[in-house]
Amino acid sequence: MPRRALITGITGQDGSYLAEYLLSLGYEVWGLVRGQANPRQSRISRLVSDLSFVYGDLMDQASLVSAVDKVQPDEVYNLGAISFVPMSWQQAELVTEVNGMGVLRMLEAIRMVSGLTAPHRGTEAGIRFYQASSSEMFGKAAETPQSENTGFHPRSPYGVAKVYGHFITKNYRESFGMYAVSGMLFNHESPRRGAEFVTRKISLAVARIKLGHQDKLHLGNLDAVRDWGFAGDYVRAMHAMLQQEEPGDWVIGTGAMHTVRDAVEIAFDHVGLDWLDYVVVDPDLVRPAEVEILCADIKRASAALNWQPTVTFPELMRMMVDSDIQQVGREHEFGDLLLAANW
Ligand code: NAP
Ligand code: GDD
């Protein structure tokens, strides 16, 4: 029998790469999709015939119980979230509901379908659960690089909700003996990244400027430092975390630090343009509370999971610019992306 995985957030960047990866490993892959969302119009449109879908929403407990009961998965990857940090100041309650309480709802669905009651230990044979935690939880971190032992100081409602998701995952592991892991992933990008995130906003703008469709690129804090990796690499780590003998918490990143300014420079350089001629710093795009510096210490993950990133940051930015130069030619398909790129 093939192993069966249920992915929430399958229409997102990570969901699309994870679905591809699990299919390549021979998994039967199910995606939780919301309401009238049509996977055929999303990032996974090419995969639709190889996937199965079940309706559900992280805001709706009963729908999650039904989904888990119907799919009877071996592994659940909870990637669903409102993932754009600035949105969390505008809709703090909604983001808390989806990104925080949504994790509890999914754990409860697994607990109910598995018939687990506290106190309970040793359910290794049960459903394995992956929670998409985030380096945003480290926020204003007391140390750099950040490891599994670094304390949390989230700086946004998004980060606070993710801290709740992290601890409730850990708590269900400790309370019910669930195989539940928290992957604390640092920023990861790809040509499939949403256009509101800074790397994609830059790659799309560079492509548009190069092709004569845009004049300027408005950005916020150019000094922010991130540890950016390639999403295709990070989904391998998610899967590896669920194959360990014991569940745990893991930090995944590259260990390399770059500023937003570096990203801009690499991208404009790649098409032979000087970024100083095009970038405008817009104070409205600076966040109410910024995370200034994030960098992962991946010693534990690289040793125990045998995991390494394969794409450097300059390679990643160039990959995204090349892809967007191809895509911008088909502008009519990107009306929504261009709108989002005004963030
Ligand atoms: P993404 O592209 O924004 O995808 C988010 C996914 O969540 C979409 O499939 C979306 O579905 C789904 N979703 C939103 N609200 C939902 C709800 N109420 N119920 C069920 N599903 C819902 O995000 P991503 O970059 O792939 O990130 C995946 C996960 O990793 C997220 O939890 C994110 O917070 C976390 N994370 C990401 C990074 C990163 O750098 N990418 C780093 C650390 C952690 P629709 O298509 O229906 O909107
Ligand atoms: N989006 C955006 N737009 N960011 C900008 C801009 C801009 O115009 N100008 C500067 N930045 C800076 C932000 O202030 C931030 O410091 C950095 O670029 C990265 O911003 P994003 O790409 O929006 O990502 P993020 O770090 O806030 O969050 C992403 O990574 C987290 C993991 O650390 C998201 O994927 C989160 O979901 C994820 O948890």
Side-chain angles (χ1 to χ4, degrees):
M1 285 287 282
R3 287 183 73 72
R4 197 175 302 141
L6 172 62
I7 304 174
T8 76
I10 195 165
T11 54
Q13 171 190 252
D14 292 7
S16 71
Y17 282 104
L18 181 62
E20 276 171 5
Y21 182 58
L22 295 179
L23 286 171
S24 78
L25 297 178
Y27 275 67
E28 180 182 327
V29 180
W30 287 72
L32 184 92
V33 290
R34 300 196 285 160
Q36 295 179 310
N38 184 353
R40 287 182 196 285
Q41 292 167 358
S42 73
R43 294 174 176 91
I44 51 170
S45 53
R46 287 171 298 108
L47 298 178
V48 161
S49 55
D50 297 323
L51 301 170
S52 304
F53 295 99
V54 59
Y55 284 117
D57 194 301
L58 289 164
M59 299 283 283
D60 181 347
Q61 178 72 75
S63 74
L64 301 179
V65 175
S66 302
V68 174
D69 194 38
K70 177 172 180 181
V71 176
Q72 295 287 324
D74 299 297
E75 298 172 6
V76 171
Y77 294 86
N78 187 37
L79 310 185
I82 297 173
S83 72
F84 187 46
V85 172
M87 185 76 88
S88 75
W89 282 286
Q90 292 170 8
Q91 297 184 20
E93 187 178 341
L94 178 65
V95 168
T96 303
E97 277 291 336
V98 176
N99 298 8
M101 290 295 288
V103 186
L104 173 64
R105 293 189 191 103
M106 188 46 94
L107 287 163
E108 277 292 282
I110 293 171
R111 189 178 73 77
M112 288 178 201
V113 171
S114 315
L116 299 177
T117 49
H120 192 101
R121 298 272 155 212
T123 58
E124 298 78 21
I127 299 169
R128 296 189 167 201
F129 176 77
Y130 172 86
Q131 167 55 17
S133 292
S134 165
S135 53
E136 271 285 310
M137 302 189 306
F138 296 119
K140 194 172 180 172
E143 59 182 11
T144 297
Q146 295 87 37
S147 75
E148 289 82 1
N149 301 318
T150 303
F152 298 142
H153 184 157
R155 298 274 281 167
S156 60
Y158 169 92
V160 174
K162 285 286 180 182
V163 170
Y164 175 80
H166 168 84
F167 278 119
I168 200 67
T169 298
K170 197 169 169 134
N171 179 262
Y172 270 50
R173 183 199 310 156
E174 293 171 359
S175 303
F176 299 106
M178 267 184 160
Y179 192 109
V181 315
S182 170
M184 296 178 271
L185 271 49
F186 284 60
N187 300 47
H188 44 279
E189 322 293 309
S190 73
R192 299 180 201 169
R193 186 60 144 152
E196 61 273 40
F197 299 94
V198 77
T199 54
R200 185 76 197 283
K201 183 174 173 180
I202 293 168
S203 65
L204 205 47
V206 166
R208 286 178 51 76
I209 288 168
K210 181 69 182 174
L211 298 177
H213 299 306
Q214 187 171 327
D215 299 324
K216 296 286 178 196
L217 166 59
H218 289 252
L219 291 172
N221 178 12
L222 299 185
D223 297 319
V225 174
R226 289 291 184 277
D227 173 344
W228 280 288
F230 172 53
D233 284 339
Y234 287 39
V235 299
R236 289 188 287 106
M238 295 176 190
H239 175 259
M241 287 177 213
L242 288 196
Q243 315 312 313
Q244 302 305 299
E245 212 158 290
E246 294 293 331
D249 307 320
W250 302 90
V251 157
I252 296 292
T254 70
M257 287 187 276
H258 292 278
T259 60
V260 172
R261 186 178 288 99
D262 294 337
V264 166
E265 263 187 64
I266 294 165
F268 277 94
D269 263 12
H270 188 49
V271 297
L273 297 176
D274 183 347
W275 69 278
L276 289 165
D277 295 335
Y278 302 98
V279 171
V280 178
V281 173
D282 182 344
D284 286 346
L285 293 168
V286 175
R287 299 178 179 184
E290 175 66 292
V291 172
E292 298 292 350
I293 177 163
L294 289 174
C295 181
D297 174 348
I298 57 166
K299 282 200 279 301
R300 179 162 172 266
S302 37
L305 303 179
N306 194 23
W307 179 87
Q308 286 294 334
T310 65
V311 180
T312 67
F313 182 60
E315 288 167 350
L316 177 63
M317 286 308 304
R318 293 195 284 265
M319 175 204 301
M320 292 173 69
V321 170
D322 287 342
S323 165
D324 279 333
I325 284 177
Q326 303 272 315
Q327 308 246 30
V328 163
R330 291 177 283 131
E331 194 92 286
H332 61 281
E333 287 178 27
F334 284 81
D336 55 339
L337 289 183
L338 301 180
L339 188 68
N342 290 331
W343 282 96

